[in-house]
Amino acid sequence: MEYTPAPIGVEVRGIDLKDRSLPADVIEQIKRDVHKHRLLIFKDQGVVSADRHVEISQWFGDLESTFYKHPRSPHPDVFRVSNNEMEGCTNVGRTGWHIDGSFMEKPFSFALYHMVSVPKIGNTAFVPLKELLESLSPETRARWERLWRSDHHWQYIHPLVYPHPVTKQPTICFHLGMTGGFIWDYGTEKEKQTDRRETSQILKEMYEEITKDNNRLVYSHKWEVGDFIISDNLAVGHEATPETQLPVSQVGLRVLHRTTVKGKWRPRKDGQAEG
């Protein structure tokens, strides 16, 4: 394998993911390197079948998806996304910056993406969460460290900032479009829930921190034929850019296949990796 540094993660060349005879040590290296680099962008893969996409995903664990299964999806574990509602689910990833499965007890551990039909434009944008936290002012970082969040159902409450369960690097559990509210100093005598106005202010602040300095922290991936991306979902936030919803008549057909690997860990302030 040949690695080339990318704005986030690395581009990988010289390996064919479709090859079912890949040596076990190569697969183990890929599994280690996803945590090390956070994004592995495999180039020149051609079209990876849904069955093979699922097999690759299973290197990392059991698959799990909470999303609607589109009739055109070629496999029950493949989430099919498109700019044509007849071809796949539309408006996906357009509700705000997020990690996948933030609303679950154990957010998805990995996400694997493959663009089956590449449009002229329609990027996926990524932001490294460690660098995002390191870019904050000391005052803002201290405030975020005090916050816990939940989705609209308040089923699970997670710390906003916590150590990644494997790498121990600081990361965040968030979804700017699916947050019911925040709690300051959860589990202490000073515990206090945010009202709607304060929740909106915090979400706005998070968006501005992600996109500050002309999107300095953001890597917007322009998809090319044969791209296959493996992401450490707990370490990288993402969103679909507005152009992903442009009509087929303008940019061509966009079809993205995505799988998600079942979460193994609850976000914990103490950094312990127990489930």
Side-chain angles (χ1 to χ4, degrees):
M1 289 182 290
E2 176 187 339
Y3 288 173
T4 303
I8 302 174
V10 292
E11 289 188 354
V12 186
R13 300 179 189 272
I15 187 170
D16 182 4
L17 291 175
K18 298 188 298 298
D19 181 1
R20 286 182 165 87
S21 65
L22 283 175
D25 61 331
V26 172
I27 294 174
E28 289 303 312
Q29 181 181 345
I30 290 172
K31 290 163 66 175
R32 290 192 301 269
D33 286 348
V34 175
H35 284 309
K36 179 180 179 180
H37 298 291
R38 294 172 288 180
L39 280 184
L40 298 183
I41 306 168
F42 290 85
K43 306 297 288 186
D44 307 318
Q45 297 301 307
V47 175
V48 179
S49 72
D51 286 347
R52 183 56 180 165
H53 190 152
V54 168
E55 288 177 357
I56 296 166
S57 306
Q58 289 171 334
W59 296 347
F60 302 92
D62 295 330
L63 270 60
E64 182 177 22
S65 177
T66 60
F67 293 97
Y68 166 70
K69 302 295 191 296
H70 192 275
R72 291 298 305 274
S73 175
H75 191 285
D77 288 321
V78 170
F79 185 41
R80 185 175 168 98
V81 174
S82 183
N83 58 345
N84 178 346
E85 62 182 10
M86 300 299 293
E87 288 289 339
C89 299
T90 57
N91 296 307
V92 174
R94 288 295 305 139
T95 54
W97 286 93
H98 62 284
I99 65 166
D100 287 329
S102 63
F103 54 89
M104 304 171 71
E105 180 184 15
K106 300 174 183 178
F108 299 128
S109 50
F110 301 93
L112 295 87
Y113 311 85
H114 178 47
M115 191 68 74
V116 178
S117 180
V118 181
K120 295 177 183 176
I121 54 174
N123 295 6
T124 302
F126 298 94
V127 61
L129 301 179
K130 172 180 176 286
E131 285 80 352
L132 171 62
L133 287 167
E134 292 174 343
S135 75
L136 302 177
S137 70
E139 296 78 16
T140 301
R141 173 70 180 266
R143 290 174 61 251
W144 286 24
E145 291 277 2
R146 294 173 51 208
L147 288 169
W148 294 63
R149 67 163 295 278
S150 182
D151 70 349
H152 297 292
H153 302 292
W154 288 94
Q155 186 174 8
Y156 301 112
I157 299 172
H158 294 316
L160 178 63
V161 180
Y162 73 106
H164 188 289
V166 175
T167 68
K168 309 305 178 185
Q169 296 292 338
T171 191
I172 63 177
C173 179
F174 77 117
H175 194 310
L176 299 191
M178 293 179 62
T179 295
F182 295 94
I183 300 175
W184 293 102
D185 305 311
Y186 180 67
T188 74
E189 294 180 354
K190 297 188 293 183
E191 179 179 315
K192 180 183 179 183
Q193 186 174 330
T194 58
D195 58 23
R196 183 177 297 179
R197 180 172 175 272
E198 188 175 19
T199 298
S200 295
Q201 289 176 336
I202 294 169
L203 293 171
K204 181 174 183 289
E205 176 183 75
M206 293 181 67
Y207 173 81
E208 290 174 347
E209 290 289 350
I210 291 171
T211 60
K212 66 186 177 185
D213 301 331
N214 195 31
N215 286 313
R216 176 177 63 86
L217 294 173
V218 174
Y219 166 54
S220 186
H221 181 71
K222 178 174 174 53
W223 291 92
E224 296 180 339
V225 174
D227 283 359
F228 190 103
I229 293 180
I230 305 177
S231 166
D232 179 347
N233 179 59
L234 301 181
V236 181
H238 66 278
E239 75 163 358
T241 61
E243 294 79 15
T244 59
Q245 304 309 309
L246 291 174
V248 175
S249 60
Q250 186 173 343
V251 299
L253 179 64
R254 183 180 194 267
V255 176
L256 174 70
H257 286 173
R258 192 208 67 185
T259 57
T260 42
V261 177
K262 185 176 181 178
K264 304 174 184 177
W265 310 282
R266 290 171 291 151
R268 294 172 56 133
K269 273 290 191 183
D270 61 12
Q272 296 300 309
E274 287 91 346

